[in-house]
Amino acid sequence: METSQGEYFVVKAKDNGVQVIGLTRGLDTKFHHTEKLDKGEVMIAQFTDHTSAVKIRGKAIVFTKYGVIDTEE
Ligand code: TRP
């Protein structure tokens, strides 16, 4: 396992319909999963062999080891 993998992140939705979109690892960068969160819902997820990037749509707070990011700021 590479060091880029296995890291966790947390998304807390501040609104209904927030989307957490997983993008594939490797030569192709494609959406492979969209998880929808409603207001107050929390998703705890990991970067994996299948997921190298994550795109977040909507109003949410994202917690990573690099800090806390509010998507509205
Ligand atoms: N099956 C996916 C995987 O193992 C599940 C997953 C992990 C995921 N992290 C994610 C889906 C982040 C969306 C966003 O990679």
Side-chain angles (χ1 to χ4, degrees):
M1 195 178 248
E2 295 168 25
T3 50
S4 63
Q5 298 173 23
E7 199 61 49
Y8 283 87
F9 62 93
V10 177
V11 181
K12 181 173 169 62
K14 289 172 43 175
D15 205 357
N16 292 332
V18 168
Q19 295 182 22
V20 181
I21 304 163
L23 292 99
T24 54
R25 187 175 297 281
L27 293 179
D28 289 335
T29 305
K30 293 185 175 164
F31 290 10
H32 67 73
H33 183 85
T34 301
E35 191 66 29
K36 291 189 181 148
L37 304 181
D38 283 333
K39 189 172 181 175
E41 286 188 319
V42 173
M43 180 172 174
I44 303 170
Q46 221 175 355
F47 291 99
T48 69
D49 290 346
H50 303 293
T51 306
S52 65
V54 172
K55 174 169 169 171
I56 292 151
R57 280 190 181 142
K59 297 176 184 176
I61 307 172
V62 186
F63 301 82
T64 75
K65 73 172 184 182
Y66 303 105
V68 181
I69 300 138
D70 187 315
T71 62
E72 289 184 286
E73 284 170 7

